[in-house]
């Protein structure tokens, strides 16, 4: 009987050992599975965070690029505006200096008379009219009227040289009192005129403005590309 008990105890112990081993194996298996699941979840979280950081970095990089572009655009616009203001100031200064020099021309009577003659001839050549009325400044009436005969002669000499023809041209001074504005002065706060003449047909339908003001504006417009080129080279 004692032997049977010993055998029974041995068998029980074997069963206990078997169960314990099975439990250990199962515990290792559960632990290994838990570790694997942990690593997978950790990897998933890490990847998710990396993607989040990448997207956040892209967003911030895009914001920085937009901000940099806006700053660059603003700086370019400010520089362009500054250059435009500087160019405008240059043109104003050129116009001012030229105006002051032209305003002094009429003081040299001989030089101014020759200029008026050339302006009349040019206007006659442009208009090709047999009868014209001339407007001028009140201060220029006498000198302009003294130019008529010489201007007609010079005009016909030009026609004869180029086309071998001559024309009878009648020139009259506008007697209506509708004079061009007076010369620029400190006392003259209204419109002013640097000099020159305006030719019109008697019916006023055809006009040729050959005032020094108009010619100065045309000269500056014509020279503007060259002035701009010089400005940019020296900017």
């Amino acid at each position: 009987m004692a032997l049977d008990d010993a055998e029974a105890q041995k068998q029980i112990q074997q069963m206990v050992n078997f169960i314990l081993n099975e439990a250990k194996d199962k515990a290792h298996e559960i632990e290994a599975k838990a570790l694997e699941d942990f690593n997978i979840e950790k990897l998933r979280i890490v990847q998710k965070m990396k993607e989040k950081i990448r997207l956040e970095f892209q967003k911030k990089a895009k914001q920085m690029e937009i901000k940099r572009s806006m700053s660059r655009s603003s700086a370019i616009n400010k520089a362009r505006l500054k250059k435009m203001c500087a160019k405008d100031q240059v043109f104003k200064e050129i116009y001012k200096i030229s105006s002051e020099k032209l305003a002094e021309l009429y003081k040299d009577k001989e030089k101014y008379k020759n200029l008026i003659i050339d302006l009349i001839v040019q206007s006659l050549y442009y208009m090709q009219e047999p009868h014209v009325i001339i407007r001028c400044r009140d201060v220029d009436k006498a000198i302009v009227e003294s130019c008529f005969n010489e201007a007609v002669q010079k005009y016909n000499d030009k026609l004869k040289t180029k086309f071998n023809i001559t024309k009878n041209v009648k020139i009259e001074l506008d007697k209506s009192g509708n004079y061009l504005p007076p010369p620029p002065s400190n006392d003259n706060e209204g419109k002013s005129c640097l000099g020159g003449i305006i030719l019109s047909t008697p019916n006023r339908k055809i006009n040729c403005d050959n005032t020094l003001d108009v010619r100065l504006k045309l000269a500056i417009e014509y020279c503007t590309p060259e002035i701009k080129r010089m400005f940019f080279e020296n900017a």
Side-chain angles (χ1 to χ4, degrees):
M1 187 68 178
L3 183 61
D4 290 340
D5 287 341
E7 185 65 27
Q9 286 295 327
K10 182 178 179 182
Q11 289 180 356
I12 290 171
Q13 189 60 47
Q14 288 177 347
M15 291 177 64
V16 170
N17 291 339
F18 177 78
I19 291 171
L20 289 173
N21 288 333
E22 284 289 320
K24 288 179 182 179
D25 291 342
K26 192 65 177 176
H28 289 153
E29 183 180 338
I30 291 171
E31 185 180 356
K33 183 68 170 62
L35 182 60
E36 182 182 0
D37 291 343
F38 169 77
N39 288 331
I40 291 173
E41 182 63 16
K42 183 177 71 172
L43 182 62
R44 187 186 69 78
I45 292 173
V46 169
Q47 291 295 334
K48 183 178 179 180
M49 292 304 297
K50 285 171 65 176
E51 181 65 15
K52 182 179 179 181
I53 293 170
R54 186 181 67 80
L55 292 175
E56 189 67 24
F57 176 80
Q58 287 181 345
K59 181 180 178 181
K60 289 187 178 298
K62 189 174 182 180
Q63 288 175 342
M64 289 179 64
E65 182 60 31
I66 292 172
K67 187 176 180 180
R68 185 163 55 245
S69 296
M70 290 175 65
S71 298
R72 183 169 61 245
S73 178
S74 178
I76 291 172
N77 288 335
K78 285 181 181 178
R80 186 180 291 120
L81 182 61
K82 186 177 180 181
K83 184 162 286 188
M84 286 175 63
C85 291
K87 285 190 291 184
D88 185 59
Q89 188 60 39
V90 168
F91 292 141
K92 286 180 179 178
E93 190 65 24
I94 291 172
Y95 187 84
K96 180 176 179 292
I97 294 171
S98 302
S99 296
E100 289 171 353
K101 290 185 178 296
L102 289 173
E104 297 296 315
L105 275 178
Y106 81 100
K107 294 181 180 179
D108 187 333
K109 302 302 181 184
E110 188 63 27
K111 184 181 292 186
Y112 190 60
K113 180 179 179 178
N114 290 331
L115 174 62
I116 294 296
I117 290 172
D118 288 338
L119 292 175
I120 293 174
V121 171
Q122 186 183 57
S123 300
L124 289 173
Y125 195 77
Y126 172 76
M127 294 177 69
Q128 297 288 312
E129 292 292 327
H131 185 189
V132 294
I133 309 294
I134 292 185
R135 287 177 60 207
C136 64
R137 301 181 301 187
D138 188 23
V139 296
D140 294 337
K141 285 186 300 183
I143 194 168
V144 169
E145 203 162 18
S146 72
C147 296
F148 290 175
N149 291 334
E150 289 183 62
V152 171
Q153 182 61 48
K154 195 169 182 179
Y155 170 61
N156 275 309
D157 289 344
K158 188 172 183 178
L159 289 178
K160 191 169 182 62
T161 300
K162 292 199 74 172
F163 306 109
N164 197 28
I165 61 171
T166 57
K167 290 185 178 182
N168 292 322
V169 181
K170 181 181 179 182
I171 303 178
E172 290 184 276
L173 193 67
D174 190 333
K175 300 294 178 66
S176 67
N178 186 24
Y179 298 113
L180 297 179
S185 69
N186 294 330
D187 300 328
N188 179 19
E189 296 181 357
K191 290 184 178 180
S192 64
C193 178
L194 297 171
I197 44 94
I198 294 179
L199 267 68
S200 304
T201 53
N203 59 11
R204 311 292 180 176
K205 288 186 177 180
I206 302 176
N207 299 282
C208 179
D209 190 333
N210 229 344
T211 57
L212 299 184
D213 304 75
V214 168
R215 294 186 68 89
L216 175 58
K217 289 177 182 178
L218 290 174
I220 289 179
E221 287 177 8
Y222 179 80
C223 295
T224 292
E226 181 64 18
I227 295 172
K228 284 183 177 179
R229 183 185 65 78
M230 293 170 62
F231 183 85
F232 278 117
E233 285 180 354
N234 298 321

